[in-house]
């Protein structure tokens, strides 16, 4: 009684694999996020810092649009980050009336440290919960996931 010749069955297996993978990766990311100490940052402050890190300096209006919040909300977030010394305002190179918001070095360091802490926690989970054979399998799977993620 071999199912593996049945294309419909194979298709169903792939669907189940895809679903389980999406679910488990999502849960793992959420777990690591929840365990990461936000070091006093709100979710919106963290989102702004990460966006500035990814995309470079931008105006408060651009940040508000990108994060889909009201300009007033963004100004509150920006104000808090300025007070913490995590961002700075610089004149816009093309339009002197506008100010660009940029990350400061302490912010870059904070983001780097938090990522390292997340990786450390994940390494710890891998080391304590998986057998050496499972760790090896996960290493191979990580390579496969990268192939799915990159063009």
């Amino acid at each position: 009684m071999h199912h593996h010749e049945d294309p419909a069955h194979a298709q169903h297996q792939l669907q189940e694999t895809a679903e389980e993978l999406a679910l488990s990766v999502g849960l793992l990311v959420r777990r690591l996020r929840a365990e990461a100490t936000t070091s006093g940052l709100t979710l919106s402050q963290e989102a702004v810092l990460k966006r500035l890190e990814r995309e470079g300096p931008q105006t408060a209006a651009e940040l508000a649009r990108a994060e889909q919040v009201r300009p007033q909300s963004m100004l509150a977030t920006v104000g808090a980050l300025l007070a913490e010394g995590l961002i700075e305002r610089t004149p816009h190179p093309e339009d002197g009336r506008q100010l660009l918001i940029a990350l400061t070095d302490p912010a870059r360091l904070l983001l780097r440290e938090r990522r390292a802490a997340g990786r450390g926690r994940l390494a710890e989970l891998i080391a304590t919960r998986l057998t050496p054979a499972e760790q090896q399998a996960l290493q191979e799977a990580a390579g496969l996931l990268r192939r799915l993620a990159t063009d």
Side-chain angles (χ1 to χ4, degrees):
M1 180 85 191
H2 287 297
H3 282 290
H4 61 256
E5 296 309 315
D6 176 7
H9 181 73
Q11 182 65 30
H12 181 67
Q13 291 271 242
L14 285 178
Q15 294 280 328
E16 284 197 348
T17 300
E19 205 160 311
E20 175 56 28
L21 185 60
L23 195 63
S24 55
V25 168
L27 285 169
L28 182 59
V29 166
R30 273 212 293 285
R31 172 186 192 141
L32 292 170
R33 272 209 196 113
E35 290 183 7
T37 50
T38 50
S39 64
L41 291 179
T42 66
L43 283 174
S44 44
Q45 289 170 5
E46 185 182 1
V48 165
L49 293 181
K50 285 182 173 169
R51 183 173 294 280
L52 290 171
E53 184 185 40
R54 270 198 321 273
E55 300 174 9
Q58 41 200 297
T59 66
E62 288 169 331
L63 285 170
R65 267 197 304 279
E67 292 294 326
Q68 301 181 321
V69 298
R70 301 196 322 281
Q72 304 91 290
S73 310
M74 185 52 67
L75 287 176
T77 301
V78 162
L81 290 170
L82 276 167
E84 294 289 325
L86 295 172
I87 57 173
E88 56 194 0
R89 292 199 180 111
T90 60
H92 197 295
E94 282 99 57
D95 180 356
R97 295 163 307 179
Q98 292 204 64
L99 289 172
L100 286 179
I101 291 157
L103 286 185
T104 59
D105 286 339
R108 284 178 210 288
L109 187 62
L110 178 72
L111 290 170
R112 216 175 16 243
E113 280 172 354
R114 287 181 57 181
R115 261 195 295 275
R119 282 193 299 271
R121 179 64 182 124
L122 183 53
E124 183 188 326
L125 285 169
I126 293 168
T128 55
R129 298 194 166 196
L130 302 182
T131 66
E134 288 170 335
Q135 291 174 29
Q136 182 61 45
L138 188 58
Q139 188 175 357
E140 286 161 26
L144 298 177
L145 288 173
R146 178 172 287 271
R147 271 172 48 199
L148 295 178
T150 54
D151 291 330

